[in-house]
Amino acid sequence: MIGSGATAATLIPAIAAECGHVTMLQRSPTFFRTGRNAVPIADELRELGIEEAWIHEIVRRKILREQSVFTSRSFTEPEAVREELLAGVRAHLGPDYDVATHFTPRYRPWRQRIAFVPDGDFLEAIRADKASVVTDEIESFNETGILLRSGEVLNADIIITATGFNLNMLGDIDFTIDGEPLVFSDTVTYRGMMFTGVPNMAWVFGYFRASWTLRADLVADFVCRLLNHMKEKGARQVTPTLRPEDADMPLLPWIDPENFNPGYVMRGMHLLPKRGDKPEWQHTQDYWTEKDEFPAIDLEDGAFRYE
């Protein structure tokens, strides 16, 4: 299994019991978070006879709050969070396992995605010797498996690639505007959902560090409000446009690499729109801010050109 993230960590425990042995080959380690795949307070509330709608809302708010606190701590207390995550791995693998080599990333927590391991199943497969981890780089494939840079050969019956995908922007659709091809990377993102010079188009892009559907809901609500506003105005077209006060605004990469920098994003950064240094021209990745800002967006702001 080539890869070190959520895909590999999900597949390995699912197939480990059905084969002789699974080896995870990774170029560099990933942070993993372990825990019960359940929310205890939900069970307790059900025992108390609380209505399911209330339980859903309470559990939702609890998870969102805990995610927010954890994310914030990864910026303000990165070393403490790192040690907590590694302690969770050691608890499953034991004190003699080489966690420093195979489970200690070079980046701070949440600079790339953290994979959740329910009940430590992936780690327990390693402890049971049904799976193992090799940290190295691929030199080449050969007739028996994979030759590594170190000179070691990993013999394999089946090789599964669980990493290395490339971003596909706009579904490979060749958009044109008035006969001219759309160069997506020349646009500036309006709050990560619309793009300068591109009329009547919004895309749904969620949060890297929280549930994707949270932002999908915010974008959907905004688009419905915008459509109703256009209907009231009698407008058939709306195009995000930089305002006069944005003329000297610096244009930056779509996301700050110091904030979030997985390989698949860095490799595809040249395909993505630009961002500015103002909140309306950024994709903030901050649900707690956007949940209040999106409903308050002024649809008559100069950033919207109606026709």
Side-chain angles (χ1 to χ4, degrees):
M1 184 85 63
I2 302 173
S4 63
T7 303
T10 301
L11 287 174
I12 287 172
I15 66 177
E18 305 298 324
C19 58
H21 191 84
V22 185
T23 299
M24 184 177 85
L25 172 60
Q26 61 178 8
R27 182 180 60 219
S28 59
T30 294
F31 279 116
F32 292 100
R33 193 174 189 183
T34 63
R36 268 191 73 201
N37 194 21
V39 182
I41 193 174
D43 296 331
E44 184 175 353
L45 291 172
R46 288 190 179 98
E47 291 176 1
L48 294 173
I50 305 298
E51 293 181 16
E52 282 295 326
W54 287 23
I55 295 173
H56 171 80
E57 185 62 23
I58 292 168
V59 170
R60 181 178 183 273
R61 293 193 184 197
K62 174 180 171 61
I63 291 173
L64 287 174
R65 179 60 180 167
E66 289 175 348
Q67 287 177 337
S68 177
V69 170
F70 181 71
T71 299
S72 176
R73 289 186 61 230
S74 73
F75 285 88
T76 61
E77 309 173 56
E79 290 306 314
V81 173
R82 176 191 298 268
E83 287 308 310
E84 289 171 14
L85 293 170
L86 296 181
V89 171
R90 291 191 189 97
H92 287 276
L93 297 180
D96 298 328
Y97 190 87
D98 189 0
V99 170
T101 298
H102 301 304
F103 286 95
T104 305
R106 296 187 290 265
Y107 52 87
R108 65 162 172 75
W110 262 138
R111 200 175 178 191
Q112 297 184 20
R113 296 187 77 175
I114 295 174
F116 177 66
V117 181
D119 302 316
D121 56 1
F122 162 54
L123 304 172
E124 288 300 316
I126 296 173
R127 184 163 188 162
D129 201 29
K130 295 295 293 179
S132 57
V133 179
V134 173
T135 304
D136 206 327
E137 295 188 30
I138 297 173
E139 180 66 33
S140 64
F141 293 87
N142 59 29
E143 63 274 11
T144 63
I146 302 174
L147 173 64
L148 304 177
R149 289 279 173 87
S150 64
E152 181 184 356
V153 175
L154 287 181
N155 293 319
D157 298 308
I158 298 172
I159 297 173
I160 301 172
T161 54
T163 187
F165 75 87
N166 294 315
L167 290 178
N168 181 307
M169 305 313 303
L170 300 177
D172 280 343
I173 299 170
D174 293 325
F175 283 83
T176 60
I177 301 174
D178 295 331
E180 295 295 321
L182 168 62
V183 181
F184 200 43
S185 57
D186 287 345
T187 69
V188 181
T189 180
Y190 178 79
R191 297 186 183 273
M193 60 179 172
M194 297 180 76
F195 311 97
T196 55
V198 184
N200 289 359
M201 188 177 84
W203 78 346
V204 177
F205 201 109
Y207 295 112
F208 285 121
R209 301 186 180 101
S211 172
W212 202 263
T213 53
L214 290 172
R215 201 167 197 274
D217 284 350
L218 293 178
V219 172
D221 287 343
F222 168 79
V223 169
C224 289
R225 190 161 69 91
L226 179 60
L227 289 172
N228 287 331
H229 186 68
M230 292 173 68
K231 184 177 180 179
E232 292 171 2
K233 289 176 66 71
R236 297 179 59 84
Q237 181 174 303
V238 60
T239 308
T241 306
L242 293 177
R243 305 158 299 190
E245 60 264 36
D246 302 320
D248 297 323
M249 180 177 65
L251 298 182
L252 308 166
W254 180 73
I255 196 166
D256 181 2
E258 290 299 314
N259 183 302
F260 193 74
N261 68 355
Y264 60 90
V265 171
M266 295 298 101
R267 288 194 301 273
M269 192 73 81
H270 65 288
L271 302 172
L272 290 161
K274 304 296 189 295
R275 65 182 168 94
D277 63 355
K278 302 176 182 179
E280 56 268 41
W281 301 113
Q282 295 183 355
H283 185 169
T284 67
Q285 295 292 329
D286 183 354
Y287 169 74
W288 291 96
T289 298
E290 291 189 336
K291 74 178 180 62
D292 296 325
E293 288 185 348
F294 272 40
I297 290 173
D298 179 6
L299 298 180
E300 284 298 313
D301 184 84
F304 301 106
R305 187 179 75 239
Y306 296 97
E307 297 177 61

